[in-house]
């Protein structure tokens, strides 16, 4: 059985609808994180806008659950229309943990299946020092990235982690989710590392995850 980590990003005021959908579909282990958009301060001031308040809703499900959740999000949140949020599925290699695993597998021990690894998009996850999200996003946009979503976090790294990454992982952190086309990912990650990576005030480290299906992105403009 193929297993997926589903992530939905929507306006905070609409997040309850997404939570209700997950409840109706009996999705296990639904988590909610408060987040914000990454529009620049100049853009917000120019258009007299407030910073976009977001919520990130996530759960683990199988391939059938991905299809059901995507379908309901499109029907009730119009998630397939750009501007109404984003829904993505990330394939998992293995899942362990009590009720969630039992729900998905009927009580059987299970590792995730082996999905097709030819993905069009990837999720870039950036971990950085709190307060430097605009610096990171400026670097990402310079390499072709669109928007992103910022979550707050707190590191728990020890002395060895601090020395290896040249930053204190136990400080307050921000996390940024950026969806990138597969042929733009490397340039975006390289730009973040060069302009906002370890040794800078942002102290950003980043990695990427494959996205097997996604809804809510604007059509890519081809040259």
């Amino acid at each position: 059985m193929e297993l997926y980590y589903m992530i939905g990003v929507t306006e905070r005021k609409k997040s309850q609808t997404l939570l209700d959908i997950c409840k109706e579909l009996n999705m296990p282990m639904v988590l909610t994180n408060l987040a914000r958009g990454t529009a620049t301060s100049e853009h917000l001031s120019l258009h007299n806008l407030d910073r976009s308040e977001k919520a990130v809703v996530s759960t683990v499900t199988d391939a059938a659950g991905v299809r059901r959740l995507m379908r309901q999000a499109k029907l009730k949140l119009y998630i397939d229309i750009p501007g109404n949020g984003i829904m993505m599925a990330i394939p998992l290699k293995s899942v362990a943990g009590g009720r969630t695993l039992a729900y998905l597998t009927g009580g059987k021990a299970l590792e995730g299946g082996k999905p097709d690894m030819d993905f069009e998009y990837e999720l870039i996850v950036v971990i950085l020092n709190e307060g430097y999200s605009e610096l990171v996003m400026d670097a990402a946009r310079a390499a072709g990235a669109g928007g992103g979503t910022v979550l707050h976090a707190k590191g728990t790294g020890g002395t060895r982690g601090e020395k290896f990454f040249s930053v204190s992982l136990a400080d307050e952190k921000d996390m940024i989710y950026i969806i990138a086309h597969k042929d733009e990912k490397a340039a975006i990650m390289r730009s973040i590392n060069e302009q906002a990576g370890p040794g800078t005030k942002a102290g950003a480290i980043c990695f990427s995850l494959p996205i097997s299906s996604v809804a809510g992105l604007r059509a890519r403009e081809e040259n």
Side-chain angles (χ1 to χ4, degrees), residues 17 43 53 73 81 99 102 144 181 190 198:
T17 300
H43 177 83
E53 299 296 321
I81 300 175
R99 295 180 180 178
H181 196 272
R190 183 167 54 250

Side-chain angles (χ1 to χ4, degrees), residues 111-141:
E111 287 194 356
K114 190 176 181 180
D116 181 6
M117 294 300 289
D118 184 21
F119 301 119
E120 185 175 1
Y121 293 96
E122 295 195 31
L123 176 65
I124 299 174
V125 180
V126 190
I127 303 172
L128 61 142
N129 294 327
E130 183 184 23
Y132 292 94
S133 58
E134 288 195 18
L135 177 63
V136 171
M137 285 307 303
D138 285 345
R141 291 189 186 97

Side-chain angles (χ1 to χ4, degrees), residues 193-214:
N193 186 62
E194 291 174 351
Q195 299 183 46
T200 69
K201 292 181 179 180
I205 57 175
C206 56
F207 57 90
S208 68
L209 299 169
I211 297 174
S212 60
S213 60
V214 62

